[in-house]
Amino acid sequence: MSNYIFNGAIYLAALIFLIISLVKSRQKTRQALLKAWLSFKNIIPMLLGVIFLVGLILSLLDTEIISRIIGENSGPLGVMLASLIGAVTLIPGFIAFPTAALLLEGGAGYIQIAAFVQTLMMVGVVTLPMEIKYFSKKAAILRNVISFVLSIGVAYLIGLILKIWN
Amino acid sequence: MDKNTNNKKNFNLKKAFKQYLFFIITAVLLGLLFIFKFDAGVKAADVIAYSFKEMLLVLPPIFIIIGLLDVWIPKETMVRLMGEGSGIKGIILAFLFGTVAAGPLYAAFPIAVVFMKKHVKFSNIMILFGAWGATKIPMLLFEMSTLGFKFALLRLAINIPVIILIAYLMGIFVKKDEVEAIYKKAEKL
């Protein structure tokens, strides 16, 4: 629900800015829209590949397999695998969070779930070619590696605090 | 004359083929999946349709805002707000940009490009990325409702210093001339 409201807000903001821009200068607005179109066109070929790749990966990794891998008693290996799954997949949050909640109910541990959510949000292996195109090989790989390592730390910290808190 | 246009056509085709190569490979794999494991193929197609819808829903307004930002906001303003020497103000703005964002992380890449064109500090772009992934408001609300208030809040609280740490580490490992090369490349994108 909240995503629809938010999406609506972004559309509204874009519309308002667009109208202001149009009132101020037609020519500049045309220029802005042309730039918008060009950067959209630029991203499309790779994005299509990424979307297909994600579909392929997710078709082979279903909830059952994931919960078997990252159950509560899966230990550090489970945390590592949860982080890897989060890192290589690109699941939209609106699928990922309910899935994560299901996994929790199904017996997955908090640390594993935190690791999964964290790397899912911060690390993108399938989008790495895109990131390299926009930044550089070194910067893109480095950002993902650093985010991956710190994500595991964050996951353990969350698990630890929740254990005390609950 | 004829030969020239022909050459150009060939060149464009080649370029398009190279651009779409990744997509073509994944499409072929999907075809194979359908042949050998029909159920999994259907599932993959489902996910692809969903992601495609999400992309078409989320991206257009973001790109329009990017275009307007590029044309209307002068470089000097962005440098003052988020460039070198913008200090804590730049950090807070980077967090805000990421927090009110919508869409997957890949939507942040073109935004980063506009920011680089406007000479926004590299570490602030890294903070934007981190916030985009970890502290987005719509995601956070959703996370609270599914994984619980405590879990979401804790993740937010821990991630704020972690995001700053990532930006700081990137600043150490990616040298100044490398950052300059990245910014130069962004001008051409």
Side-chain angles (χ1 to χ4, degrees), chain A residues 2-4 6-7 10-11 13-14 17-18 21 24-25 28-29 31-33 35-36 39-40 42-56 58-62 90 92-95 97-98 100-101 104 110 113-114 117-118 121-122 126-127 129-136 138-139 142-143 146-147 150 154 157-158 161-162 165-166, chain B residues 19-20 22-23 26-27 29-30 33 37 40-41 43-44 47-48 50-52 54-68 70-72 99-102 104-106 109-110 112-113 116-117 122 125-126 129-130 133-134 137-139 141-143 146-147 150-151 154-155 158-159 162-163 165-166 169-170 173-175 178 182 185 189:
Chain A
S2 66
N3 67 323
Y4 287 114
F6 233 84
N7 259 327
I10 301 265
Y11 268 92
F17 288 144
L18 198 61
S21 172
K24 279 193 149 176
S25 158
K28 270 194 154 183
T29 308
Q31 214 182 325
L33 288 178
K35 280 194 175 180
S39 37
F40 188 64
N42 211 350
I43 205 174
I44 285 296
M46 235 167 201
L47 202 50
L48 282 176
V50 168
I51 287 174
F52 269 64
L53 186 60
V54 170
L56 289 170
L58 289 189
S59 72
L60 303 172
L61 267 181
D62 55 17
L90 185 115
F94 301 100
I95 297 177
F97 287 131
L104 266 182
Y110 265 112
I113 291 299
V117 171
Q118 189 70 18
M121 300 293 159
M122 308 283 275
V126 285
T127 49
M130 279 172 96
E131 199 171 338
I132 289 173
K133 189 179 153 206
Y134 283 105
F135 290 89
S136 71
K138 183 181 164 187
L142 209 59
R143 192 194 68 79
I146 292 174
S147 301
L150 289 179
V154 169
L157 200 57
I158 289 177
I161 295 175
L162 278 179
W165 199 353
N166 278 327
Chain B
Q19 268 184 323
Y20 281 94
F22 179 38
F23 170 56
T26 55
L29 285 177
L30 181 67
L33 193 63
K37 240 181 132 184
K43 216 179 134 198
V47 177
I48 290 167
Y50 180 93
S51 310
F52 197 68
E54 194 199 27
M55 176 188 103
L56 287 182
L57 187 74
V58 168
L59 288 185
I62 291 182
F63 276 95
I64 288 175
I65 292 173
I66 290 174
L68 292 171
D70 200 357
V71 171
W72 284 106
T99 304
V100 298
L105 190 61
Y106 60 68
F109 296 149
V113 170
M116 287 192 269
K117 279 188 197 164
F122 188 61
I125 293 177
M126 288 299 118
F129 265 47
I137 291 175
M139 282 295 162
L141 295 175
F142 196 63
E143 189 177 348
T146 49
L147 291 176
K150 276 186 205 167
F151 185 89
L154 203 55
R155 219 170 64 77
I158 296 174
N159 264 311
V162 167
I163 288 167
L165 180 63
I166 292 175
L169 289 174
M170 288 296 288
F173 289 126
V174 183
K175 296 278 172 284
E178 289 167 316
I182 294 171
K185 198 168 87 177
L189 281 170

Side-chain angles (χ1 to χ4, degrees), chain A residues 13-87:
Chain A
L15 193 69
I16 290 170
F17 288 144
L18 198 61
I19 290 171
I20 294 173
S21 172
L22 258 175
V23 170
K24 279 193 149 176
S25 158
R26 262 201 139 145
Q27 220 236 311
K28 270 194 154 183
T29 308
R30 187 178 309 170
Q31 214 182 325
L33 288 178
L34 186 69
K35 280 194 175 180
W37 169 243
L38 285 179
S39 37
F40 188 64
K41 223 175 77 179
N42 211 350
I43 205 174
I44 285 296
M46 235 167 201
L47 202 50
L48 282 176
V50 168
I51 287 174
F52 269 64
L53 186 60
V54 170
L56 289 170
I57 293 173
L58 289 189
S59 72
L60 303 172
L61 267 181
D62 55 17
T63 319
E64 214 176 293
I65 295 178
I66 295 179
S67 65
R68 212 181 316 148
I69 299 175
I70 61 177
E72 191 153 24
N73 298 319
S74 57
L77 186 67
V79 175
M80 201 60 207
L81 288 171
S83 310
L84 283 175
I85 295 173

Side-chain angles (χ1 to χ4, degrees), chain B residues 73-95:
Chain B
I73 313 263
K75 195 190 267 175
E76 295 72 33
T77 311
M78 286 305 276
V79 168
R80 188 159 40 80
L81 290 173
M82 298 174 77
E84 295 292 336
S86 59
I88 195 112
K89 185 174 56 188
I91 294 175
I92 291 173
L93 276 172
F95 263 111

